[in-house]
Amino acid sequence: MADKKVLVTQAGYDKLVEKLKYKKSVERIQIAERLKAAIALGDLSENSEYDDAKNQQAFLEGEIQELEAKIRNSEIIQAGSGDVVQMGSTVTVKDIEFDEEDTYSIVGSTEADPDEDKISNESPLGQALLGQKVGTTVEVHAPAGIIKYQIMKING
């Protein structure tokens, strides 16, 4: 089975590479030191410190493999002309009911972070915005009902 492509911006890709580097060069060494200290305590059969360190090591190795797969399968998205909303676009929308504007960046699901106003292309709002132009009104089906947004501005 082929791995699924992971859509990321250049900044998101760089963040994945940095995270992988940190896990390999810092966290691996910290866990190895914990293991060495636990082994020095002797009898491993009833050594909870050793068991904990081994579990932490296994978890870290899983995270490293996952990051390596994401990096290997990354497809870096480029912002377009700014006429149409696409992956990598930064979009200012107005909630028609509340007359409030918000700006979001449309990114792949790996990078999505609502706290940083980065929404996934797979989210209801992300899906509704993709392919649309300035002035268009889109409807987003949310748990609270249908929310209408008007696209005010598109960057990249």
Side-chain angles (χ1 to χ4, degrees):
M1 183 178 107
D3 287 323
K4 183 181 167 194
K5 281 285 176 204
V6 178
L7 301 174
V8 293
T9 61
Q10 184 64 52
Y13 179 84
D14 294 344
K15 200 181 265 188
L16 285 173
V17 169
E18 238 355 88
K19 189 174 181 180
L20 176 64
K21 198 159 107 179
Y22 179 79
K23 289 194 175 297
K24 282 181 160 183
S25 65
V26 176
E27 290 184 27
R28 251 188 191 160
I29 292 168
Q30 290 171 341
I31 292 173
E33 293 298 324
R34 278 189 64 199
L35 278 169
K36 198 175 356 175
I39 290 169
L41 296 174
D43 185 13
L44 299 182
S45 64
E46 293 183 22
N47 186 332
S48 64
E49 176 60 27
Y50 176 77
D51 291 340
D52 185 50
K54 285 298 284 180
N55 289 338
Q56 194 177 5
Q57 181 184 42
F59 184 76
L60 175 67
E61 292 306 320
E63 286 183 310
I64 287 172
Q65 285 180 345
E66 190 177 310
L67 284 168
E68 287 175 336
K70 283 181 181 176
I71 290 167
R72 186 174 49 253
N73 296 304
S74 287
E75 187 174 306
I76 297 174
I77 51 177
Q78 305 293 332
S81 63
D83 296 341
V84 174
V85 178
Q86 55 192 359
M87 294 284 295
S89 294
T90 299
V91 186
T92 301
V93 295
K94 180 168 76 173
D95 182 322
I96 293 175
E97 183 180 348
F98 294 106
D99 197 33
E100 293 175 356
E101 285 192 9
D102 286 304
T103 301
Y104 301 102
S105 295
I106 312 292
V107 296
S109 57
T110 303
E111 273 183 274
D113 184 351
D115 293 338
E116 292 183 17
D117 296 324
K118 293 180 178 180
I119 61 170
S120 167
N121 62 312
E122 298 170 9
S123 70
L125 179 56
Q127 286 180 343
L129 292 173
L130 287 174
Q132 303 300 325
K133 296 181 179 214
V134 171
T136 304
T137 299
V138 297
E139 291 184 354
V140 178
H141 297 271
I146 295 175
I147 304 170
K148 292 183 180 184
Y149 293 99
Q150 182 176 10
I151 300 172
M152 306 305 288
K153 187 170 139 187
I154 302 169
N155 292 327

